[in-house]
Amino acid sequence: QQFTIVQKETTKSHVMEYGQTDFKSEAVGNFQGTCDVKSTIENFLKESKVESTEQREDGNPVMSRDIKMHYLYNKFVNSNSDEDRNEMEEELAYRTSVETRFYNLRENAGITFEEKPVVTDFECYKGLIDQYEQACGVDEYDLGFFHNFVSMCNAKMDTIDM
């Protein structure tokens, strides 16, 4: 099927198929080893004391930006140690500071922020990210708020006022 698609889509050269082709009807999994992926992942998650999606009560996967918090929470729940509690509380404090920072930015910007903005001025967007990273540092949680920078660039806001 892949060869047929490539052959159909290619217009500037000849698509060739070489080698043995009698295995095309076999499942890809037949060529990817014999380990039981599901049980391997479950064992890894048990060893690292992190819940799998199937073990979560709500059945929803963890958003990528929340993995660190999810990990720290599970680490604390399993150990109940003061060290793990402090680590989790530090992450919560950091997240609160990021949320407050962007809340204040939105309140003081004097523009309408778009729901799902599309980057049109990449130079402006990169400049704001660089400016933010130099002033505040960046981790995966901050990334979830960068759409605010797109709205600022689209509104042609003077970034020096930030």
Side-chain angles (χ1 to χ4, degrees), residues 3-4 12 17-18 20-21 23 28 34 40 42 46 49 68 74 78 80 83-84 106-108 110 119 123 127-128:
F3 175 78
T4 307
K12 298 193 185 263
E17 185 174 34
Y18 297 97
Q20 214 173 359
T21 60
F23 61 87
V28 173
T34 58
T40 303
E42 292 292 329
K46 284 178 189 171
K49 296 186 177 12
K68 182 177 182 182
N74 282 300
N78 288 309
N80 204 23
E83 182 181 339
D84 290 341
R106 290 175 68 100
E107 287 293 306
N108 298 317
V119 179
E123 190 174 314
L128 286 176

Side-chain angles (χ1 to χ4, degrees), residues 31-100:
F31 303 94
Q32 296 180 329
T34 58
C35 74
D36 178 3
V37 175
K38 184 175 178 356
S39 68
T40 303
I41 292 171
E42 292 292 329
N43 288 338
F44 169 77
L45 292 173
K46 284 178 189 171
E47 288 171 15
S48 60
K49 296 186 177 12
V50 176
E51 295 175 325
S52 74
T53 302
E54 294 171 351
Q55 292 170 325
R56 293 188 60 204
E57 288 180 24
D58 59 5
N60 295 321
V62 177
M63 292 180 57
S64 63
R65 291 187 182 99
D66 292 330
I67 289 174
K68 182 177 182 182
M69 188 70 230
H70 184 73
Y71 167 75
L72 293 173
Y73 171 77
N74 282 300
K75 186 176 168 188
F76 168 67
V77 166
N78 288 309
S79 73
N80 204 23
S81 75
D82 289 339
E83 182 181 339
D84 290 341
R85 178 196 329 266
N86 291 339
E87 195 174 2
M88 184 179 69
E89 287 175 351
E90 285 173 19
E91 178 65 15
L92 284 169
Y94 176 77
R95 285 169 167 247
T96 301
S97 72
V98 170
E99 291 166 7
T100 301

